[in-house]
Amino acid sequence: MKKTVYHSKIDLWVWFVTVGFLAVIWLSAVGMSWWYVVFVVVGMTLLYAWLMFGCWYEIEGDELVIYQFFHPTRLPISKIKDVRKTSGYLATAGLSHLRVSIRMTDRSVLKSSAPIEISPKDRDGFIARLVEINPDINVLS
């Protein structure tokens, strides 16, 4: 069973917001007590690192595993109806506006008829791997 890992693409604006926010937090710590620096500043820095690097995607066997905040969500690739390259800023499991929209054949898989949107760095390779496993997937343009 071959496992392929796809890291989430992170847009440049996310880096700017992160660096700006952390700069404000660290600069506000100047002259504060040690407990403020340790608990608030270091805590916020770790939280941002967790948010930035806690999102990736794995294809393992017949499952697509979406890790968001290190929590896995498993989706059967055999139930994927279609995939489409999209762009947008919806709040989903991705840190980029360049996304892959995935619709399932069975509403019960996601408990919704809405597609799930993710942002793997290598969108073309990701879609090709899904189609390799399930040739019935429609690739929409």
Side-chain angles (χ1 to χ4, degrees), residues 20-141:
F21 176 77
L22 291 177
V24 168
I25 292 293
W26 279 93
L27 290 174
S28 72
V30 173
M32 294 290 202
S33 63
W34 67 270
W35 63 267
Y36 178 82
V37 172
V38 170
F39 292 111
V40 176
V41 177
V42 174
M44 291 301 286
T45 303
L46 292 175
L47 176 65
Y48 255 80
W50 182 53
L51 293 173
M52 295 275 288
F53 301 109
C55 183
W56 71 92
Y57 320 105
E58 289 181 0
I59 297 176
E60 185 173 5
D62 185 37
E63 285 188 321
L64 168 61
V65 185
I66 300 170
Y67 288 90
Q68 188 173 18
F69 311 122
F70 300 100
H71 175 72
T73 301
R74 297 183 177 279
L75 303 174
I77 295 174
S78 61
K79 300 227 179 202
I80 293 177
K81 178 180 180 180
D82 57 52
V83 295
R84 171 191 310 237
K85 288 183 186 178
T86 63
S87 62
Y89 290 99
L90 294 175
T92 63
L95 298 169
S96 173
H97 74 286
L98 300 174
R99 300 172 182 261
V100 174
S101 179
I102 300 172
R103 288 192 328 168
M104 308 302 279
T105 58
D106 188 358
R107 175 184 155 93
S108 67
V109 175
L110 293 174
K111 298 176 181 49
S112 169
S113 59
I116 188 166
E117 292 191 1
I118 59 176
S119 61
K121 278 184 186 176
D122 180 14
R123 291 193 302 173
D124 294 325
F126 179 80
I127 291 171
R129 181 79 175 114
L130 290 176
V131 172
E132 178 184 318
I133 294 170
N134 180 3
D136 295 332
I137 295 174
N138 293 323
V139 179
L140 306 173
S141 53

